[in-house]
Amino acid sequence: MFSDIGFSSADRSKGGLLMAMAGYSLDPDMFIRAKLPFVESKGKRIFLRRENCLIAAFGNGLPPENVSILEIMKAMEDAISKACLTAGLPKLNANAFNNARGWWFELLVAITLWNLRIDHSKSHSKLLVKLPNVGAMKFIDLFETKAHGMLSDLENALQNKGVNLVTSNPDILCVGDLKGIDVTKEALRRYSACTQDCINTVTSAYAKIVGKCRYNSIGFGLALKASTRPDRRLQIPHEGSILKAVNAHLQTRFWDASHQVYYYAATATPITEADVEAFKTAATHSITDVNVKPMPAVDKSFYLKTLSDAETMFKECVSKV
């Protein structure tokens, strides 16, 4: 059974890092000796346990912030592939790594932003939370009863006309002015390693603010994509357009246009001209009213070559809200 493959905590010394002349690498043996399974079998196929892989690699210390994120991903893939070979397991196909890579990127950046928010907590009063897939929760469920009721009315009205309000969740949401919650006293534990507790805390923090966001609580949304292949290039502005349209609807219902919501994108690969052009796509609601200044669906995109680049992004995004 593949579930027996793992490593002991004693073998995690310095995260199993090997800084060889060839570049950044990880020790495959730490996956083989893991107590946590890093792959699982389903019939004749094996799949990555992406969460356990991160714990195996960085459970004793987060990856270095000055190493290319793509190098970190490649080091994980190489080490896991070698571990499978050593353990006599079937070879993992490219799709297994493609699916895991995006999640690894999201989580490592989310942890970095979590720590940055704590480090700079004296200069702002915002909370940054990682949202789950829309199948687990819609971001509109974060709003308090009155605002949520208005959005539910909108959904029902659209459904009566045979139209659906398809809302994708931003990967990261910046919120403030929460009902019954002092954000300056929330989420103050800083993490130095990607432990199970770290992952659980960062990925479930959103649950505490469900039903607590006022109509003007959202500051910005952030899309995190390991790469911007053509389909994602179009998905990002769609997500930004929906978030801004929801905000515009609440502005109308509450008769308060003073609040603006921003949407950003961050990738681990360089931003191309095609990306920039796609991100300039107009937020749909802004071209339906002559009194509204046209605005882009994505306000700015960031290339996060290393995790240290997240600090510049964090400061710029938070400074506008």
Side-chain angles (χ1 to χ4, degrees), residues 264-276:
Y264 303 104
T267 75
T269 54
I271 306 295
T272 66
E273 290 186 13
D275 295 332
V276 173

Side-chain angles (χ1 to χ4, degrees), residues 5-24:
I5 301 167
F7 79 109
S8 64
S9 59
D11 293 319
R12 283 190 232 163
S13 178
K14 297 183 180 179
L17 304 185
L18 297 175
M19 297 301 293
M21 292 298 292
Y24 181 84

